[in-house]
């Protein structure tokens, strides 16, 4: 029976960038390695503690976008953009979960900075490889 479970675990579905990002954010949140929101993100970037910055593309304040982008370029931190601030807030743990496990009262977040990735995983490896290949292009 142990051989069957190993065979099932080795056959994985392909990983996309959103799935990998959600899992990495979850591990970082557990390890207390996230800075969420503009103030915490800027503080982490200025102190040089940031590994990765995630910015919402639908942020309606251009000053926020330019500030975060400039700090990432200045400090050499990789920048990843996601489509919706609401999704980013939910992935970063800015929500309540009801009895059925569904997210309620989701707070949107314009930016999230990962200070500590947490434990190693295949999702983290995929995300880092994705960032390396897309930075060069």
């Amino acid at each position: 029976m142990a051989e069957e479970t190993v065979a099932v675990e080795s056959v994985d579905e392909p990983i996309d960038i959103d799935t990998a990002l959600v899992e990495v954010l979850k591990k970082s949140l557990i390890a207390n390695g996230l800075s969420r929101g503009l103030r915490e993100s800027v503080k982490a970037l200025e102190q040089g503690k940031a590994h990765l910055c995630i910015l919402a593309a639908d942020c309606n304040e251009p000053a926020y976008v330019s500030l975060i982008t400039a700090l990432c370029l200045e400090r050499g931190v990789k920048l990843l953009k996601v489509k919706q601030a609401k999704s980013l807030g939910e992935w970063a743990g800015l929500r309540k979960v009801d009895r059925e496990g569904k997210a309620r009262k989701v707070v949107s977040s314009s930016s999230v900075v990962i200070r500590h990735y947490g434990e190693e995983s295949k999702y983290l490896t995929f995300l880092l490889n994705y960032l390396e290949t897309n930075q060069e292009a």
Side-chain angles (χ1 to χ4, degrees):
M1 286 200 141
E3 294 174 18
E4 291 176 15
T5 57
V6 171
V8 170
E9 288 177 11
S10 65
V11 178
D12 291 326
E13 71 279 352
I15 303 171
D16 65 335
I17 188 64
D18 287 338
T19 308
L21 185 60
V22 169
E23 292 299 319
V24 169
L25 285 171
K26 195 183 302 182
K27 299 279 187 196
S28 296
L29 183 63
I30 291 169
N32 197 21
L34 289 183
S35 294
R36 304 171 290 192
L38 182 69
R39 181 180 175 149
E40 289 182 20
S41 297
V42 168
K43 190 174 178 182
L45 285 166
E46 286 179 341
Q47 291 176 351
K49 295 180 180 178
H51 294 296
L52 173 65
C53 182
I54 302 111
L55 184 65
D58 67 345
C59 180
N60 56 2
E61 187 63 44
Y64 291 178
V65 175
S66 61
L67 175 65
I68 295 292
T69 306
L71 282 172
C72 287
L73 286 172
E74 181 183 313
R75 303 291 181 173
V77 176
K78 295 192 184 325
L79 180 66
L80 184 65
K81 291 193 177 184
V82 294
K83 292 180 182 172
Q84 295 182 330
K86 203 77 152 169
S87 299
L88 183 58
E90 182 179 347
W91 298 340
L94 297 173
R95 84 268 193 260
K96 299 282 185 188
V97 180
D98 64 5
R99 291 180 184 165
E100 289 84 38
K102 295 181 183 177
R104 303 279 185 223
K105 297 184 180 181
V106 178
V107 177
S108 59
S109 178
S110 59
S111 62
V112 173
V113 170
I114 297 178
R115 292 178 280 115
H116 180 62
Y117 286 117
E119 66 182 49
E120 292 284 328
S121 67
K122 62 182 179 181
Y123 298 105
L124 177 59
T125 306
F126 176 83
L127 183 65
L128 293 176
N129 288 337
Y130 175 83
L131 291 170
E132 285 298 320
T133 56
N134 288 346
Q135 285 298 104
E136 297 168 3

